[in-house]
Amino acid sequence: MYLISKYQQIIEKIIGDYAKLRYSYSEVERRTVFDREQKHYLLMILGVEGHKMVHGCILHLEIRDDKIWIHRDGTEDGIPRELLAEGVPKDKIVLGFYTPEKRKITDFAVC
């Protein structure tokens, strides 16, 4: 349980930091969605850019068993780098946006 709590704190800090960044030059807001019970963590964008409505998911992470699954990573530098910097081992990070076959050729968890 301690590991899950630690991962929740790390994920919420990282996503919270991204949420504070201004989204280009438009009226687009960044919103965090933390479902601690189901262990899903999202960073969403919502607003108006020019003449278009914008709504999308930038980040979607899930804690499943004792691993952090990355389902969506729309960041420039990549969220795995941030997780590693916070002390999360590579074998606890699953690149869920890849197929299981492709995960096998990464340095991260396969699952």
Side-chain angles (χ1 to χ4, degrees), residues 73-88:
D73 183 359
T75 65
E76 192 170 314
D77 295 329
I79 208 70
R81 182 184 63 81
E82 305 238 9
L83 292 169
L84 292 169
E86 291 290 333
V88 178

Side-chain angles (χ1 to χ4, degrees), residues 5-18:
S5 177
K6 180 180 175 184
Y7 286 171
Q8 287 175 316
Q9 290 173 358
I10 291 169
I11 291 169
E12 290 180 17
K13 177 193 175 301
I14 291 170
I15 292 178
D17 289 346
Y18 274 103

Side-chain angles (χ1 to χ4, degrees), residues 41-45 55-61 71-74:
Y41 307 86
L42 293 90
L43 176 64
M44 305 293 297
I45 54 171
H55 179 268
C57 177
I58 302 297
L59 288 169
H60 178 190
L61 285 78
H71 296 295
R72 170 84 171 108
D73 183 359

Side-chain angles (χ1 to χ4, degrees), residues 89-103:
K90 281 186 176 183
D91 66 344
K92 298 295 184 182
I93 300 171
V94 180
L95 304 180
F97 48 83
Y98 286 149
T99 63
E101 294 79 26
K102 195 168 185 178
R103 280 185 227 140

